[in-house]
């Protein structure tokens, strides 16, 4: 921003370090005609802006990785968004990732999942922006078994909870079929 000196930038980086944001986006100031800041004096040189932005984002990447690492080994409920059966990969997001602006959760054994469904995935690795997870093998088998049974016999619009053997139960999967799509809430522990 016009007038930002080294002292102000140090205060900003100290604030970011102190707060420890999960995620942070930043950009260099760009004057916009018709705004008050357009005519402000003390424009920061492009080279300085680029250097400061790089430093700020390196600080944030370190913080983000530290915060993301807290999820390693934890199970998250993930909304499956894309599936690549050939690569046995799916991507999705949990309550922590906003669409289109935050990272994603890569599900490494997710090639058989269905977009629009929820799965429980165990986080295996944290990256600066993304998490790498996998569906627990026992849950993956149960999910495939239940999906196969539902596809064969369930009526569209029907909701029910099934065990891994397709019988009503207290635990298992809560499923709602609508036409040829399913909303599956996987609750295996």
């Amino acid at each position: 921003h016009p007038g930002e000196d080294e002292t102000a930038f140090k205060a900003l980086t100290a604030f970011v370090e102190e707060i420890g944001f999960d995620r942070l986006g930043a950009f260099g100031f760009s004057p916009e005609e018709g705004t008050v800041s357009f005519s402000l004096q003390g424009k920061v040189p492009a080279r300085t802006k680029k250097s400061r932005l790089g430093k700020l984002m390196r600080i944030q990447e370190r913080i983000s990785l530290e915060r993301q690492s807290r999820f390693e080994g934890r199970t998250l409920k993930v909304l499956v968004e894309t599936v690549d059966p050939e690569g046995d990969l799916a991507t999705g997001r949990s309550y922590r990732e906003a669409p289109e602006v935050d990272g994603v959760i890569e599900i490494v054994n997710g090639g058989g999942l269905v977009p629009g469904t929820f799965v429980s995935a165990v986080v295996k690795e944290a990256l600066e922006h993304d998490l790498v997870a996998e569906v627990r093998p026992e849950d993956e088998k149960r999910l495939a078994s239940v999906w196969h049974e539902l596809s064969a016999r369930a009526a569209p619009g029907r909701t029910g909870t099934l065990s891994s053997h397709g019988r009503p139960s207290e635990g298992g999967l809560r499923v709602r079929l609508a036409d040829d799509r399913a909303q599956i809430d996987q609750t295996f522990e």
Side-chain angles (χ1 to χ4, degrees), residues 29-40:
F29 172 78
S30 177
E32 186 69 32
E33 212 170 326
T35 64
V36 174
S37 58
F38 183 78
S39 58
L40 290 177

Side-chain angles (χ1 to χ4, degrees), residues 89-185:
L89 181 71
T91 60
R93 55 190 164 91
S94 71
Y95 69 93
R96 299 182 64 242
E97 294 84 25
E100 300 178 17
V101 294
D102 290 335
V104 297
I105 298 175
E106 300 172 5
I107 305 170
V108 294
N109 62 342
L113 298 176
V114 178
T117 61
F118 286 93
V119 297
S120 295
V122 179
V123 177
K124 297 297 184 183
E125 181 183 4
L127 306 172
E128 287 89 349
H129 305 290
D130 301 329
L131 294 173
V132 178
E134 62 183 31
V135 177
R136 294 180 295 193
E138 62 274 16
D139 292 347
E140 188 177 20
K141 290 175 189 170
R142 290 177 186 165
L143 184 58
S145 167
V146 171
W147 178 251
H148 177 72
E149 174 137 359
L150 285 170
S151 303
R153 69 175 176 88
R158 185 174 176 181
T159 301
T161 303
L162 302 174
S163 71
S164 60
H165 303 291
R167 294 186 300 272
S169 71
E170 293 298 315
L173 300 177
R174 181 168 161 43
V175 180
R176 175 167 173 72
L177 287 181
D179 300 321
D180 62 347
R181 291 184 52 89
Q183 180 77 21
I184 302 175
D185 188 3

